[in-house]
Amino acid sequence: MHSARQSSSQLARRAFATLLVMAACAEPAFAGPDSSLRASALRLEARDFERGNGVSRDPAKAVQLYCEAARLGDLEAQYELGWMYANGRGIARDDATAAYFFTMAAKQGDKLSQRMLRQVGDPVSKPPACLFDIEGSDLVDAAPPEQRKLMDIVLKLAPDYGVQPRLAMAIIRAESNFNPGAVSPKNAQGLMQLIPETAERFNVRKPFDPEQNIRGGLSYLRWLLAYFQGDVALVAAAYNAGEGTVERFHGIPPFPETRGYVQRIREIFKREDHPFDAGITAPSPELPKISSRRLM
């Protein structure tokens, strides 16, 4: 049953996947105009990582890619995820999570998934974290009207900086709870709580102007993402305590405030990694040491 879904030529599949990725990724992933094309590219790449076709086998990476494709509505990816969880293929077996993905595919009419549901039982009630929208539409829907206006600015600006809107919203929630006039005891100001040095660094002249403040915060996030190569926990820790502090402690500093902050960002963003533009800045020279001495 599973083998019937495999392509006959691995080489042809990888070539096709490369073309799809080039076409789908011309724009940032969260702003791409053709979600079905991107979903196909993600699924094909996921299969290669799942089976070790031309790359080192990496089931966790396969799950991440399949899940993004599943979120975009790809039936094949939904089935493949269900199969991986139902059979413990490189990951811990989890029938309830398998049932969640089989249910997604079954609702689109997939007969194999409908049959598999009879074997794995009831699905988990809460969607797996990887299915949360990187644009944060669920956050926007749940927000009061005055916050939605600010979120709309994030949705408009974040793609220009290569920052996923959900991450920016998580930072704003943790920093100011969407209060444009917020001021901290350390004189961090506005929505994204820019200290005067950071505001000057990123050319923010009016820190209490929502758009200017968000632009400054997005610029800083873009820089941090490149500096820590997309590691969300390190980026969050650096946003809270400074990149120098993260480097000095070779990881997330042992401050209760910073550790609580990082945890809040993780809970909202729900991803451990974020795409980054390596052309923004060279990575932290301490990154090899940081990677081997993570504190969380």
Side-chain angles (χ1 to χ4, degrees), residues 84-225:
M84 287 185 73
Y85 278 107
N87 292 277
R89 287 178 57 89
I91 56 176
R93 179 172 175 172
D94 185 338
D95 284 353
T97 299
Y100 194 98
F101 290 111
F102 283 138
T103 298
M104 292 178 72
K107 287 180 179 179
Q108 296 195 66
D110 186 65
K111 301 299 183 184
L112 290 176
S113 295
Q114 292 169 5
R115 289 202 295 270
M116 288 299 298
L117 278 172
R118 292 194 288 269
Q119 300 181 33
V120 295
D122 295 329
V124 292
S125 58
K126 184 179 179 180
C130 62
L131 289 174
F132 280 79
D133 187 352
I134 55 178
E135 291 193 0
S137 59
D138 58 320
L139 301 179
V140 177
D141 292 342
E146 62 273 14
Q147 291 188 6
R148 290 186 192 182
K149 293 178 181 179
L150 299 170
M151 290 177 171
D152 284 342
I153 299 176
V154 174
L155 290 173
K156 181 181 73 172
L157 297 179
D160 294 340
Y161 293 83
V163 176
Q164 293 172 355
R166 190 181 190 91
L167 178 59
M169 291 180 195
I171 295 290
I172 295 173
R173 175 73 69 195
E175 289 288 345
S176 69
N177 198 26
F178 288 89
N179 176 7
V183 180
S184 80
K186 296 181 180 179
N187 201 28
Q189 300 172 339
L191 287 167
M192 300 192 76
Q193 289 289 275
L194 305 177
I195 61 173
E197 292 84 353
T198 303
E200 182 179 2
R201 178 179 172 186
F202 293 104
N203 198 32
V204 176
R205 294 184 172 86
K206 298 178 180 179
F208 296 108
D209 175 80
E211 182 167 333
Q212 276 201 35
N213 190 283
I214 290 171
R215 285 187 181 277
L218 289 171
S219 295
Y220 188 30
L221 279 176
R222 176 174 61 183
W223 189 90
L224 288 172
L225 284 164

